[in-house]
């Protein structure tokens, strides 16, 4: 069969024409992608795009309606136990065990993986240290703030030394300090060669952390690539935002067929960095409220998925 | 899609049993107080308030003091309450509010193992409660020593039966307050008509035949046999019924819970 890979070059995740239906509703609609070993991969998309549904099929929580999902080259349908013993999951909702203390949460989790008890104790200590939770080891989970709870969930996902870490919105609801702390940890893990799959609604997070990403909407993949390539392809390296654009500016933009989005109150122009267009706009139209900035993933995301609210 | 896979059941379930033991351990004083005091309350209340009205009960050809007749049934009902409550309210909280099972389903543990663990745990808890009760009943002469000690393993078996049907209800009730329904329609009549407070031989035949369907009836018969050596049915039949009941509702519970947990 064509496309079969062996040994080192084998993808860590290979999703082929994956479909997930809930009754009549199709949450994931014919999605195919691959994640390579050591890669930091992101799944982006508006609320309800199908990110969590996709992720749940990766770790065998939800059965596939159609298609095939291979993790570590093993089929998730039949080899789920082997696969799950090699990956760590930080779920979107808080699934920490509120009946247990912080340290017990880690230890009991290791039992589900049948880790050696002495190794597990050592590992728990390391992780408490790594996530700055040592002082809270005896605390009840209910007493933890959102940031601490998320860090504990991350620590728990790493207990069994996974080869693949799955992170479903690991920083949602965290303050900037906690968010940066989590990022630092993820960077550190990436340096150690851990493969990761992340979902997030923070575009800066995906842009900073990820090697490659895909954007989903309505259960389908609408873009895929490296953050910088996507920015160049779907937005621009340089962006000009003009508040309260004048009629002349609108005319100019139309006449010169400039790549732009007209939001009524605001005009966004996608330009080349330090190009002709940029200096023209700067000289002619930027009397007061103009912002020149680099294009980013948020531009890509909004351009591809639209600015309308999701239900 | 969410069919039950018996091959997905391994001894890994014991880790969830252990998890439950740890949380139980944290509140063990409360957990032990109830079975310690419950028989004392009942025996006092029925002994003081009831015996004047009832006199002796004739059971299996014997004339028994009312409290002597009833005490073994307390062991059986404690087994029922402990295991049934564990797999209904407690498991529901773990499943629905605490999302404990969702967390476990990210580890190499199967849904089947989670459910088996909950059922076995509930039976273990019932067994512990019964052991504590016997520690009260044996010294005050309400249960034979050492025969009544067999009630402990029996409580595990009976516990499996009640826990299985409880788990089945947990798999199908939409909300936690809906447990009122199976309790009102199933547990309460069972509690009253299983030869607990009066012998089944004393009620009309049709009611007696209905009682045969209740697992509690078989539990009560067996505990009474082990505690005071009197029985009106066949112990082997009672045991077989409990086993069959456990297998049927254990399987139904696996199906219902799997449908509920797998999305
Ligand atoms: N168990 C379920 N039953 C029915 N529909 C579901 C179920 N789980 C998810 N859905 C639906 O599938 C769609 C995709 O949901 P999913 O949770 O995958 O989205 P998401 O991309 O993770 O969104 P969010 O960013 O809000 O977390 C949604 O419309 C959701 O309502
Ligand atoms: Mg989600």
């Amino acid at each position: 069969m064509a496309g079969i890979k062996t040994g080192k070059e084998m993808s860590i995740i290979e999703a082929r024409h994956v479909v997930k239906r809930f009754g009549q509703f199709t949450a994931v609609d014919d999605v195919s992608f691959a994640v390579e070993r050591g890669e930091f991969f992101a799944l982006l998309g508006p609320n309800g795009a199908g990110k969590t549904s996709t992720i749940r099929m990766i770790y065998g929580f939800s059965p596939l309606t159609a298609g095939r999902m291979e993790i570590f080259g093993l089929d998730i349908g039949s080899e789920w136990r082997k696969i799950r013993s090699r990956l760590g999951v930080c779920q979107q909702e808080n699934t920490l065990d509120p009946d247990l203390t912080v340290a017990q949460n880690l230890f009991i989790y290791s039992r589900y993986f049948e880790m050696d008890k002495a190794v597990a104790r050592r590992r728990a200590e390391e992780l408490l240290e790594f996530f700055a939770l040592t002082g809270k080891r005896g605390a009840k989970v209910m007493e933890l703030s959102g940031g601490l709870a998320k860090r504990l969930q991350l620590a728990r996902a790493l207990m069994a030394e996974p080869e693949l870490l799955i992170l479903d919105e690991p920083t949602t609801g965290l303050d900037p300090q906690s968010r940066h702390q989590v990022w630092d940890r993820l960077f550190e893990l990436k340096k150690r060669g851990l493969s990761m799959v992340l979902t997030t609604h923070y575009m800066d997070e995906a842009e900073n952390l990820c090697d490659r990403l895909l954007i989903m909407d309505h259960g389908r993949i609408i873009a895929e690539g490296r953050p910088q390539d996507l920015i160049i392809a779907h937005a621009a390296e340089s962006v000009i935002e003009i508040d309260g654009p004048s009629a002349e500016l609108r005319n100019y933009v139309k006449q010169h067929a400039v790549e732009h989005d007209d939001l009524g109150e605001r005009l966004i122009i996608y330009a080349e960095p330090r190009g002709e267009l940029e200096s023209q706009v700067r000289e002619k139209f930027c009397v007061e409220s103009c912002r020149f900035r680099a294009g980013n993933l948020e531009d890509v995301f909004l351009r591809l998925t639209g600015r309308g609210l999701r239900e | 899609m969410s069919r039950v896979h018996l091959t997905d059941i391994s001894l890994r379930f014991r880790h969830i049993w252990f998890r439950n033991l740890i949380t139980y351990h944290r509140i063990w004083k409360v957990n032990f107080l109830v079975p310690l005091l419950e028989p004392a309350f009942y025996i006092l209340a029925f002994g003081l308030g009831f015996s004047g009205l009832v006199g002796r009960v004739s059971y299996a050809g014997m004339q028994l003091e009312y409290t002597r007749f009833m005490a073994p049934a307390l062991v059986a009902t404690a087994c029922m309450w402990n295991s049934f409550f564990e797999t209904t309210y407690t498991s529901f909280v773990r499943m629905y509010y605490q999302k404990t099972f969702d967390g476990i389903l990210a580890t190499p543990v199967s849904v089947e193992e989670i459910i088996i663990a909950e059922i076995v745990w509930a039976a273990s808890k019932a067994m512990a409660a019964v052991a504590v009760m016997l520690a009260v009943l044996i010294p005050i002469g309400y249960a034979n020593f050492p025969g009544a000690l067999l009630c402990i393993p029996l409580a595990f078996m009976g516990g499996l039966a009640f826990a299985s049907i409880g788990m089945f209800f947990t798999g199908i009730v939409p909300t936690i307050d809906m447990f009122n329904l199976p309790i009102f329609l199933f547990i309460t009549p069972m509690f009253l008509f299983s030869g607990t407070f009066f012998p089944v031989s004393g009620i009309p035949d049709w009611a007696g035949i209905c009682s045969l369907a209740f697992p509690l009836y078989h539990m009560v018969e067996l505990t009474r046999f082990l505690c005071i050596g009197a029985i009106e049915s066949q112990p082997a039949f009672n045991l077989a019924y409990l086993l069959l009941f456990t297998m049927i509702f254990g399987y139904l519970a696996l199906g219902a819970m799997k449908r509920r947990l797998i999305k």
Side-chain angles (χ1 to χ4, degrees):
Chain A
M1 204 171 91
I4 274 199
K5 299 178 199 166
T6 50
K8 262 193 139 132
E9 47 172 344
M10 187 156 55
S11 304
I12 209 156
I13 300 176
E14 180 132 17
R16 271 179 257 146
H17 305 290
V18 169
V19 176
K20 180 71 196 177
R21 268 187 221 109
F22 296 107
Q24 293 297 305
F25 178 77
T26 306
V28 178
D29 192 1
D30 193 15
V31 161
S32 301
F33 63 92
V35 177
E36 304 307 318
R37 192 170 283 275
E39 221 178 3
F40 200 146
F41 188 80
L43 278 174
L44 307 181
N47 289 135
K51 303 180 294 298
T52 300
S53 304
T54 304
I55 275 186
R56 283 178 165 174
M57 289 189 281
I58 296 176
Y59 68 90
F61 182 96
S62 304
L64 281 69
T65 308
R68 191 172 165 83
M69 181 77 82
E70 279 181 12
I71 319 295
F72 312 122
L74 304 169
D75 178 59
I76 190 66
S78 53
E79 310 266 17
W80 61 270
R81 209 192 284 271
K82 272 190 204 139
I83 293 170
R84 276 198 214 154
S85 63
R86 290 166 64 184
L87 54 77
V89 185
C90 180
Q91 287 157 324
Q92 182 170 0
E93 64 277 31
N94 180 348
T95 57
L96 292 170
D97 204 322
D99 294 332
L100 303 174
T101 65
V102 168
Q104 281 175 338
N105 254 284
L106 297 182
F107 183 71
I108 295 290
Y109 209 66
S110 78
R111 300 306 305 139
Y112 303 147
F113 288 83
E114 308 208 310
M115 282 174 76
D116 179 80
K117 287 183 191 170
V119 172
R121 290 223 167 75
R122 227 176 309 129
R123 181 82 182 141
E125 285 313 313
E126 280 167 24
L127 286 167
L128 288 174
E129 184 85 18
F130 187 64
F131 286 101
L133 286 163
T134 313
K136 293 279 180 187
R137 49 175 320 126
K140 294 208 182 82
V141 161
M142 301 277 230
E143 298 161 3
L144 299 182
S145 70
L148 286 178
K150 217 54 201 205
R151 262 144 61 194
L152 179 57
Q153 246 182 298
L154 279 167
R156 194 179 66 166
L158 290 165
M159 261 314 273
E161 312 245 11
E163 293 162 56
L164 169 64
L165 183 61
I166 294 175
L167 306 158
D168 199 349
E169 299 194 23
T171 60
T172 299
L174 300 193
D175 62 24
Q177 286 86 346
S178 310
R179 223 148 70 85
H180 280 277
Q181 200 169 19
V182 168
W183 288 359
D184 288 346
R185 296 298 175 272
L186 296 182
F187 256 126
E188 174 79 32
L189 292 167
K190 181 179 151 65
K191 264 196 291 184
R192 296 184 199 168
L194 188 63
S195 313
M196 288 186 264
V197 174
L198 166 92
T199 79
T200 179
H201 290 297
Y202 299 110
M203 294 302 127
D204 53 338
E205 181 166 308
E207 200 175 324
N208 290 333
L209 292 174
C210 293
D211 303 315
R212 214 155 52 82
L213 57 91
L214 59 80
I215 301 180
M216 296 180 74
D217 201 5
H218 304 295
R220 292 177 164 274
I221 295 175
I222 52 174
E224 182 174 357
R226 297 188 307 152
Q228 211 50 43
D229 296 344
L230 288 171
I231 292 167
I232 292 167
H234 300 283
E237 272 185 87
S238 186
V239 169
I240 314 165
E241 291 190 38
I242 304 116
D243 289 330
S246 60
E248 297 93 73
L249 176 60
R250 284 208 165 91
N251 265 335
Y252 176 88
V253 159
K254 280 204 192 89
Q255 272 165 19
H256 292 75
V258 171
E259 183 84 2
H260 73 284
D261 285 325
D262 193 342
L263 310 178
E265 289 301 299
R266 192 150 48 104
L267 196 77
I268 303 179
I269 292 175
Y270 302 95
E272 300 239 307
R274 293 169 300 280
E276 182 61 18
L277 176 65
E278 206 181 275
S279 48
Q280 289 267 330
V281 172
R282 191 192 292 271
E283 278 162 28
K284 288 191 188 150
F285 305 102
C286 281
V287 202
E288 31 195 296
S289 47
C290 264
R291 277 188 306 284
F292 292 82
R293 60 170 175 81
N296 58 36
L297 206 53
E298 191 133 348
D299 297 317
V300 176
F301 188 85
L302 289 170
R303 294 203 88 193
L304 290 175
T305 59
R307 286 169 193 271
L309 277 182
R310 304 298 155 129
E311 358 187 292
Chain B
M1 194 165 74
S2 49
R3 283 202 11 251
V4 174
H5 296 292
L6 294 177
T7 48
D8 280 349
I9 300 174
S10 75
L11 281 178
R12 253 181 225 250
F13 79 83
R14 71 188 187 280
H15 306 305
I16 299 165
W17 184 93
F18 178 67
R19 177 233 165 256
N20 291 345
L21 180 68
I22 286 185
T23 52
Y24 176 77
H25 179 78
R26 262 196 6 211
I27 46 166
W28 69 274
K29 281 181 194 142
V30 186
N31 280 323
F32 273 51
L33 211 59
V34 178
L36 209 56
L37 294 179
E38 197 184 24
F41 285 166
Y42 269 92
I43 287 168
L44 265 178
F46 281 83
L48 295 177
F50 231 46
S51 49
L53 298 171
V54 184
R56 290 185 172 248
V57 180
S58 92
Y59 177 81
M62 293 205 252
Q63 296 296 313
L64 296 168
E65 252 176 71
Y66 187 68
T67 45
R68 297 259 307 155
F69 168 77
M70 194 205 56
L74 292 179
V75 174
T77 54
C79 169
M80 173 184 82
W81 290 121
N82 270 281
S83 45
F84 186 80
F85 272 100
E86 189 68 18
T87 52
T88 49
Y89 290 100
T90 314
S91 292
F92 194 93
V93 168
R94 281 201 272 268
M95 166 186 77
Y96 189 83
Y97 296 101
Q98 303 187 349
K99 310 223 178 291
T100 309
F101 301 161
D102 287 355
I104 297 172
L105 285 176
T107 73
V109 174
S110 68
V111 189
E112 284 87 349
E113 284 159 350
I114 294 177
I115 297 153
I116 296 289
E118 291 289 298
I119 292 173
V120 171
W121 165 251
S124 313
K125 203 180 154 189
M127 186 166 76
V130 164
V132 173
M133 277 181 107
L134 289 174
V136 179
L137 292 175
I138 292 175
I140 60 172
Y142 279 87
N144 296 337
F145 184 81
L149 290 180
L150 282 175
C151 285
I152 298 172
L154 175 67
F156 183 77
M157 242 195 94
L160 291 177
F162 300 119
S164 297
I165 193 164
M167 197 87 246
F168 169 67
F169 288 134
T170 299
I172 57 174
V173 291
T175 62
I176 196 164
D177 359 277
M178 296 283 264
F179 281 129
N180 288 339
L181 212 61
I183 287 175
F184 181 71
L185 293 176
F186 175 66
I187 296 289
T188 308
M190 177 157 77
F191 178 62
L192 295 172
F193 292 94
S194 289
T196 30
F197 300 107
F198 44 83
V200 166
S201 52
I203 57 176
D205 280 351
W206 63 267
I209 289 168
C210 291
S211 299
L212 286 180
F214 291 141
L216 184 61
Y217 165 78
H218 301 277
M219 255 321 262
V220 169
E221 287 287 292
L222 287 166
T223 49
R224 197 166 277 136
F225 178 55
L226 294 174
C227 287
I228 60 173
I231 189 160
E232 286 186 337
S233 51
Q234 284 297 321
F237 171 68
N238 301 133
L239 282 171
Y241 185 84
L242 286 177
L243 211 60
L244 186 72
F245 190 91
T246 302
M247 289 201 294
I248 292 173
F249 280 96
Y251 193 78
L252 291 176
L254 282 169
M257 285 296 288
K258 200 161 180 189
R259 232 170 292 127
R260 176 151 207 167
L261 285 170
I262 298 290
K263 293 165 200 134

